[in-house]
Amino acid sequence: MLMRRLIRVFIFIAIAWSAYWFIAGYGLRNAITSWFDAQQARGWQAEFSGVETAGYPTHHTTRLNNPALADPVNGTAWSADWIEFQSPAIWPGRQTLSFADTPQRLSYFDQTATIEAKALQAELELQPGVALVLEKMALTAGPWLISEENEALAGGGTLSVIMEQTTAPEAYAVTAQIDGFTPGEDLRALMQSATSLPQRFETLQLDMLTTFDKPWDRSALEDSRPQPVTIDLNLAEVKWGELRLFAAGELDIDSQGIPTGEIAIKAENWRDMIAMANAAGALPDQAVDPVTRALNFLAGLGGNPNALDLQLNFRDGFVALGPLPLGPAPRLILR
């Protein structure tokens, strides 16, 4: 008798869960396809050749075959063989977006780049509740390559960019790391890279804590973006052959987006960096000699002419590199 009751209870739970799974799966599928319909109503090209739902009974997996998006106003377009949305059946607020390993195409007017990446995924984790507060957002990939007309623009090994909420709801830890970043020939030429530099960067990473004026939640889309109020840069590091660059510091940001604070910078083989900045157009020709003389004097004070220990000073809406004024400080406003 007891066994029969247990079987009935099990059957009832299985039927109820199956009904929930199919209803929730239909809702997720409809939300995704409706978003494409909404973009079409805005005048975009937004289409896909088919949609599939799987994952029963533990997950919802929705795959779109041959998705394509194009904004005629900005002249941008993207397409892939497929994309896949996956979430636990119990909570759709933890979404993983997976991309096909086959090439994706990203166009900007008459230029088209091809993106190839293994295990490229975007993750989104939201807290249960009406506000849908962001807990974590991440982009990860294995070996990747961006090319145009069969010429490599940039590539690398693993890629990881993570933004994760801390114990303070308004504060988010942001980390980024690219292993084996490889600039293409065009980028190397733009930076006037010496042929002696290795093909790959040894280190390219970022670690900082950003506090906003409110948590990231659904109001960021419906109302206004959270704005940064403090940035604690634990470390930004670039190592490329003999070139070394380290940065750390703190900034306070007012309601107008104007930063105040200091960022300490250490640069090794800084003369090559000046040449790169000049080649990239960030430093005018007429400023190269004065800047070189000033930095050479400052490097001499530190005892190592090939290394610089300087500070970016943000004050009253302006920024200076040590004693050298650089101009108005950038406004840090998210729109």
Side-chain angles (χ1 to χ4, degrees):
M1 192 69 171
L2 178 60
M3 183 60 69
R4 289 183 180 179
R5 288 180 179 177
L6 290 176
I7 293 174
R8 288 175 182 174
V9 170
F10 176 78
I11 292 174
F12 173 78
I13 293 175
I15 293 174
W17 178 258
S18 297
Y20 162 78
W21 189 93
F22 282 104
I23 292 172
Y26 174 80
L28 287 170
R29 174 174 174 156
N30 187 62
I32 295 170
T33 57
S34 295
W35 185 87
F36 274 75
D37 293 338
Q39 305 319 303
Q40 285 185 339
R42 293 176 54 195
W44 284 36
Q45 175 198 0
E47 57 190 28
F48 51 88
S49 63
V51 56
E52 304 170 5
T53 301
Y56 178 84
T58 58
H59 288 76
H60 287 116
T61 302
T62 304
R63 173 177 287 203
L64 299 182
N65 295 316
N66 302 307
L69 295 170
D71 181 355
V73 176
N74 295 326
T76 56
W78 166 84
S79 62
D81 287 348
W82 57 261
I83 54 173
E84 192 172 82
F85 300 82
Q86 185 181 87
S87 62
I90 196 66
W91 173 232
R94 296 185 181 273
Q95 287 283 341
T96 299
L97 176 61
S98 300
F99 296 83
D101 288 345
T102 52
Q104 303 173 53
R105 291 153 292 281
L106 183 64
S107 301
Y108 182 73
F109 289 106
D110 59 344
Q111 296 181 321
T112 299
T114 300
I115 303 172
E116 299 176 69
K118 298 294 184 181
L120 177 60
Q121 288 188 338
E123 299 178 33
L124 181 67
E125 297 184 8
L126 305 175
Q127 291 180 8
V130 177
L132 298 178
V133 176
L134 175 67
E135 288 186 336
K136 180 180 179 181
M137 183 166 54
L139 178 68
T140 58
W144 58 277
L145 176 67
I146 301 175
S147 58
E148 183 177 313
E149 295 181 354
N150 296 322
E151 292 188 7
L153 299 179
T158 59
L159 166 69
S160 174
V161 181
I162 301 173
M163 175 176 169
E164 190 167 12
Q165 190 179 43
T166 64
T167 53
E170 300 85 6
Y172 289 83
V174 179
T175 59
Q177 182 166 344
I178 303 176
D179 293 329
F181 175 71
T182 306
E185 293 302 322
D186 289 344
L187 185 56
R188 290 174 67 91
L190 178 64
M191 295 186 299
Q192 231 178 29
S193 308
T195 56
S196 59
L197 288 172
Q199 291 295 314
R200 296 187 175 190
F201 281 60
E202 295 174 40
T203 303
L204 194 61
Q205 66 179 25
L206 171 71
D207 180 5
M208 68 180 183
L209 179 69
T210 303
T211 301
F212 298 88
D213 57 4
K214 65 177 183 179
W216 283 82
D217 55 26
R218 64 185 301 172
S219 67
L221 298 177
E222 299 174 352
D223 185 12
S224 61
R225 306 286 187 272
Q227 298 300 321
V229 294
T230 63
I231 295 177
D232 185 356
L233 179 60
N234 298 316
L235 178 66
E237 183 179 1
V238 177
K239 291 183 181 179
W240 188 17
E242 296 300 318
L243 302 182
R244 299 287 193 273
L245 182 64
F246 308 87
E250 297 182 10
L251 295 175
D252 293 320
I253 304 163
D254 66 15
S255 59
Q256 303 301 313
I258 298 175
T260 300
E262 297 84 27
I263 301 294
I265 296 177
K266 181 175 182 178
E268 299 178 5
N269 294 294
W270 53 271
R271 293 178 181 81
D272 289 338
M273 297 180 187
I274 289 180
M276 290 182 181
N278 175 242
L283 186 67
D285 292 340
Q286 61 271 24
V288 171
D289 287 341
V291 169
T292 301
R293 285 195 299 269
L295 294 182
N296 191 57
F297 172 75
L298 294 173
L301 295 179
N304 184 354
N306 290 322
L308 277 173
D309 285 291
L310 293 176
Q311 194 167 265
L312 276 176
N313 299 305
F314 296 82
R315 292 284 185 277
D316 302 320
F318 291 87
V319 59
L321 179 63
L324 302 175
L326 299 181
R331 295 203 172 191
L332 306 179
I333 298 178
L334 301 179
R335 301 188 183 277

